[in-house]
């Protein structure tokens, strides 16, 4: 029998309504029911609370590229729970062990709280977000107490159910069975948009809350690349042999050596450079010499490429790059010990113009005209169409210290955030030999 859910005694934009919605989503295993619950909830929210709700559903308070972190540990949360509940530490620990989840434990612990604020407040999502941002911004001497003071105020005013989901948000452990795809489907259902249309916009702007606002007002087509903010990377599929690749495409392909480094997205706007990782985190400080050389390029751009440890014209083992990535601070000594090279192999944006819909071969021509210097190179590519050509290039790549080949459709657009057969990986499996064991 289908279970009916009702959000009671909670204003639409309130954190309580959000918490009740999370609880309902968690209580059903039905994908369609999850979408129904979330879409009906999203439809009732105003713009500000809609954006925050979608971001929190995705388990992300702040976008990774902003570099904002709460820096609130378990011990801080435990101290707050102890203070607000009035329970002793032994009882707290027993409840936490019994529940196995700090959020679930918080709900049980604060069902017994004895301390109440003089004037109780009810928070909407925007207000909770604003307080969490203040927590993240608190730094320096006295910051721990400042963070604790702000969070204690929230815990004191919230119902036990709200504290459960506040705790889950703080610990990054929502675990309500609402994956990214279901949130996108819920947004599409809430505002009567096609899933494909909503998903395309989300993959491009890389923010589910902003995508929801565009969907609400029928402006998904206005989603666009934004300089200094990462978009999703195009992804490749694997094939096992040159023959399989030739049979699938049956046309001339772009062939590149497959690099064994760190894939990055490089943005330049006027005199500002930002380098982002696959996860959307800014990693510019790890590559100061690359930033320095990117600044010499007299254009605004978004590049897709790979950073390698590189010396004397050859790539160094990935382990060398790893030793550098593990360093908290990169000084001149580190730069000299592990020299780097950025190989650019795609371009998404150039001097005000988005290029990701343009055929790859045309994007390559734009890259070739830029004229890189220093520690930045345009990744060399070859045109191949026969099995023998691909196999020859494959073994050449291994001899030079690379890990195989990338074969790319020259007519393909840059499909942001999608894995598909426009790009194919051919890795070291081809290097194995078939052998027959004969007993004599």
């Amino acid at each position: 029998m289908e279970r009916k859910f009702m959000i009671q005694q909670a204003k639409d934009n309130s954190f309580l309504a959000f918490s009740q919605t999370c609880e309902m989503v968690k209580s059903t295993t039905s994908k369609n029911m999850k979408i129904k619950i979330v879409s009906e909830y999203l439809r009732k929210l105003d713009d500000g609370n809609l954006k925050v709700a979608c971001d929190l559903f995705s388990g992300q308070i702040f976008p990774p590229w902003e570099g904002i972190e709460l820096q609130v540990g378990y011990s801080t949360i435990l101290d707050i729970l102890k203070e607000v509940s009035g329970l002793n530490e032994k009882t707290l620990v027993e409840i936490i062990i019994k529940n196995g989840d700090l959020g679930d434990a918080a709900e049980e612990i604060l069902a017994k709280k004895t301390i109440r604020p003089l004037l109780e407040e009810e928070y909407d999502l925007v207000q909770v977000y604003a307080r969490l941002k203040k927590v993240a911004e608190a730094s320096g001497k006295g910051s721990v107490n400042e963070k604790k003071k702000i969070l204690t105020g929230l815990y004191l005013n919230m119902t036990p159910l709200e504290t459960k989901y506040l705790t889950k948000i703080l610990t990054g452990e929502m675990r309500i069975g609402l994956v990214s795809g279901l949130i996108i489907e819920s947004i599409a259902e809430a505002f009567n948009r096609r899933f494909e249309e909503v998903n395309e916009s989300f993959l491009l702007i890389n923010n589910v809350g902003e995508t929801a606002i565009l969907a609400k007002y029928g402006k998904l087509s206005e989603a666009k690349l934004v300089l200094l903010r990462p978009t999703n990377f195009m992804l490749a599929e694997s094939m096992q042999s040159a023959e399989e690749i030739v049979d699938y495409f049956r046309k001339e392909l772009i062939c590149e050596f497959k690099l064994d480094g760190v894939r990055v997205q490089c943005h330049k706007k006027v005199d500002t450079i930002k380098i982002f990782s696959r996860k959307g985190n800014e990693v510019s400080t790890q590559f100061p010499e690359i930033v320095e050389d990117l600044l010499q390029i007299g254009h605004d751009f978004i590049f897709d490429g790979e950073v390698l440890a590189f010396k004397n014209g050859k790539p160094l083992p990935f382990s060398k790059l790893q030793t550098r990535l593990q360093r908290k601070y990169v000084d001149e000594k580190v730069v000299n010990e592990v020299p780097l090279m950025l190989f650019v192999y795609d371009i998404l944006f150039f001097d005000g113009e988005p290029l990701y819909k343009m055929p790859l071969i045309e994007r390559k021509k734009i890259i070739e005209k830029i004229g890189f210097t220093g520690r930045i190179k345009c990744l060399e590519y070859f045109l191949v169409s026969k099995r023998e050509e691909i196999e020859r290039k494959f073994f050449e790549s291994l001899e030079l210290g690379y890990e195989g080949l990338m074969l790319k459709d020259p007519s393909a657009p840059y499909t942001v955030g999608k894995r598909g057969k426009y790009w194919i990986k051919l890795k070291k499996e081809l290097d194995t030999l078939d052998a027959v064991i004969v007993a004599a």
Side-chain angles (χ1 to χ4, degrees):
M1 182 182 293
E2 183 179 294
R3 185 176 169 187
K4 292 189 177 180
F5 298 99
M6 296 291 290
I7 295 179
Q8 299 176 349
Q9 299 177 339
K11 296 174 184 175
D12 293 340
N13 292 312
S14 69
F15 191 76
L16 177 57
F18 172 81
S19 303
Q20 290 173 332
T21 303
C22 289
E23 192 74 353
M24 290 190 289
V25 169
K26 185 184 177 186
S27 69
T28 179
T29 57
S30 166
K31 171 188 167 183
N32 291 336
M33 180 57 78
K34 288 178 189 287
I35 293 169
K36 182 175 185 292
I37 293 166
V38 176
S39 62
E40 288 179 356
Y41 167 69
L42 295 180
R43 209 175 286 133
K44 299 173 184 177
L45 302 178
D46 65 27
D47 292 358
N49 287 283
L50 172 62
K51 182 185 182 311
V52 176
C54 289
D55 290 339
L56 294 182
F57 278 139
S58 69
Q60 193 170 275
I61 308 172
F62 312 111
W65 59 85
E66 289 185 355
I68 302 173
E69 295 182 0
L70 285 174
Q71 294 184 321
V72 174
Y74 273 66
S75 60
T76 299
I77 298 172
L78 289 175
D79 287 346
I80 294 168
L81 292 175
K82 184 178 178 182
E83 179 181 339
V84 174
S85 68
L87 298 177
N88 61 52
E89 192 166 329
K90 181 175 179 292
T91 305
L92 282 178
V93 171
E94 287 173 353
I95 294 172
I96 291 168
I97 291 172
K98 181 184 75 173
N99 282 275
D101 178 278
L102 193 55
D104 293 341
E107 181 180 26
E108 181 178 338
I109 290 165
L110 295 181
K112 305 170 184 177
K113 70 180 176 184
T114 55
I115 302 172
R116 299 278 178 184
L118 189 62
L119 296 172
E120 290 193 344
E121 293 183 72
E122 183 180 354
Y123 301 109
D124 66 17
L125 292 167
V126 171
Q127 290 170 323
V128 171
Y129 173 85
R131 282 163 174 77
L132 292 180
K133 192 157 189 186
K134 283 185 178 179
V135 169
E137 289 170 347
S139 61
K141 188 178 179 180
S143 61
V144 173
N145 288 334
E146 180 63 21
K147 289 173 187 285
K148 199 178 288 187
K149 179 182 175 184
I150 296 167
L151 291 174
T152 300
L154 288 173
Y155 275 94
L156 276 171
N157 281 282
M158 287 182 171
T159 65
L161 181 64
E162 287 176 286
T163 64
K164 172 179 180 174
Y165 285 99
L166 175 63
T167 304
K168 286 178 175 290
I169 289 166
L170 293 175
T171 58
E173 297 175 354
M174 283 293 282
R175 293 189 293 196
I176 60 172
L178 196 62
V179 296
S180 176
L182 290 183
I183 301 172
I184 298 302
E185 286 194 60
S186 299
I187 292 170
E189 178 71 20
F191 304 112
N192 196 27
R193 311 296 175 199
R194 291 187 304 109
F195 170 79
E196 294 77 15
E197 187 183 15
V198 178
N199 196 46
E200 288 282 344
S201 296
F202 165 65
L203 291 174
L204 190 64
I205 63 177
N206 207 9
N207 185 282
V208 69
E210 291 179 14
T211 302
I213 299 296
L214 292 175
K216 180 177 179 179
Y217 292 102
K219 294 183 176 181
L220 290 164
S221 61
E222 295 181 14
K224 61 183 180 179
L225 292 173
V226 178
L227 281 174
L228 307 182
R229 191 171 111 173
T231 188
N232 285 283
F233 288 75
M234 183 172 178
L235 305 172
E237 288 197 4
S238 296
M239 287 190 182
Q240 300 305 311
S241 69
E243 187 174 2
E244 183 184 359
I245 293 168
V246 169
D247 286 346
Y248 178 80
F249 285 100
R250 297 184 179 277
K251 67 176 183 179
E252 194 170 62
L253 300 172
I254 287 172
C255 173
E256 302 166 347
F257 293 145
K258 188 174 188 312
L259 309 177
D260 188 16
V262 173
R263 193 169 175 191
V264 293
Q265 195 176 103
C266 305
H267 291 234
K268 178 173 179 280
K269 183 178 182 181
V270 191
D271 58 357
T272 300
I273 296 288
K274 289 193 176 184
I275 301 176
F276 300 102
S277 69
R278 281 272 297 269
K279 292 183 177 179
N281 298 306
E282 189 182 353
V283 292
S284 309
T285 55
Q286 292 182 317
F287 311 121
E289 68 271 50
I290 301 297
V291 170
E292 183 182 321
D293 286 353
L294 287 169
L295 280 168
Q296 303 311 308
I297 301 170
H299 304 275
D300 290 348
F301 54 74
I302 300 175
F303 294 147
D304 187 0
E306 200 139 343
V307 174
L308 274 71
F310 202 82
K311 194 171 186 178
N312 299 326
K314 286 190 174 184
L316 300 176
F318 184 72
S319 57
K320 289 284 186 184
L321 181 57
Q322 276 185 313
T323 60
R324 176 164 166 170
L325 295 175
Q326 290 163 359
R327 300 289 289 267
K328 190 171 183 180
Y329 301 105
V330 177
D331 54 22
E332 192 172 345
K333 182 184 176 185
V334 175
V335 168
N336 292 329
E337 284 177 354
V338 186
L340 303 181
M341 185 70 72
L342 167 65
F343 287 91
V344 175
Y345 47 70
D346 217 325
I347 184 168
L348 288 72
F349 184 97
F350 191 67
D351 283 347
E353 294 295 325
L355 307 178
Y356 63 96
K357 292 182 180 180
M358 183 183 288
L360 174 58
I361 194 67
E362 298 301 320
R363 301 198 303 273
K364 288 284 192 186
K365 290 175 182 176
I366 292 171
I367 295 172
E368 289 169 346
K369 291 177 182 177
I370 293 174
F372 299 118
T373 58
R375 288 151 290 207
I376 305 172
K377 287 184 181 292
C378 171
L379 181 62
E380 187 178 11
Y381 68 93
F382 317 92
L383 296 176
V384 297
S385 58
K386 298 177 182 177
R387 176 181 61 81
E388 296 82 4
E389 293 173 325
I390 295 173
E391 289 179 350
R392 188 165 57 248
K393 282 296 175 188
F394 179 87
F395 289 110
E396 183 184 339
S397 80
L398 300 186
E399 288 172 8
L400 292 171
Y402 299 102
E403 62 170 9
L405 296 179
M406 293 293 300
L407 287 305
K408 300 179 179 180
D409 186 337
S411 63
Y414 189 99
T415 53
V416 172
K418 293 183 179 178
R419 189 178 300 280
K421 290 185 176 178
Y422 285 138
W423 289 11
I424 299 296
K425 292 182 284 190
L426 185 63
K427 295 180 71 175
K428 292 184 180 178
E429 288 82 354
L430 191 63
D431 195 29
T432 60
L433 295 175
D434 291 330
V436 178
I437 301 173
V438 180

